Amino acid sequence: MTTVRLIGDVHGKFGRYRELIRYVPFSIQAGDMGVGFRGYRHGELKWLTNPPYDAMSEGRHLFIRGNHDNPDVCSRHDYWIKDGTTVEGIYCLGGAVSIDRAWRTEGLDWWSDEECSYADLERMIDEYSALKPEIVVTHECPESIANEMLSAFGRKKFEDGSRTRQALERMFHLHQPREWYFGHWHVSLRFMSGRTTFQCLNELEYADVEI
């Protein structure tokens, strides 16, 4: 048996993230790490702080991308998990829609390819159906799960046209894994749907899972 620590959104709070991975050998962060942001300091455009590479190198500390991660920078990071990849039997897929994108600046803190393309998602749906993983880690969640989760909090879902949520819904209908972990929604909730236990990890919340 191996234990993996699954960690919710970090949003650039790397000091606290460093503490979460310090005493565990293996972790997967579920997107919105805060990778590849740029901003102005003293009138000059600069790269902002990135994840603690030194601490991540001391173990096997990986991450998927969220909508608040620069896809290009992620693709060049040693510890990024490529979308649709299986790690130790855990199926991983990143991406989501930023509902606040109208207030963000493309290339600085928002990226138009924050979701996988339709073609890539179609391919991943087929691969997922063939793999039938028992543990899934995504940044977003299936459409029906978003509805169920928001209903529990008395909230109405913002219709953002997320193709990621729609693709994950199709995956869930094709195969229900034993466990499914995700972030993005900034709430802490664990519940069953069908045969699957879903857990939404709040910011910097974690779950230690045996695999």
Side-chain angles (χ1 to χ4, degrees), residues 1 22 32 54 85 101 109 126 156 169 178 183 191 194:
M1 281 285 187
R22 176 171 291 178
D32 277 9
D54 57 335
T85 298
R101 58 189 178 275
D109 57 4
D126 290 340
K156 185 177 180 180
E169 181 70 18
R178 187 178 74 246
F191 60 97

Side-chain angles (χ1 to χ4, degrees), residues 31-35 37 63-71 74 111:
D32 277 9
M33 175 72 90
V35 175
F37 278 71
F63 69 98
I64 65 175
R65 69 183 180 101
N67 51 302
H68 295 325
D69 292 307
N70 183 326
C74 286
W111 300 273

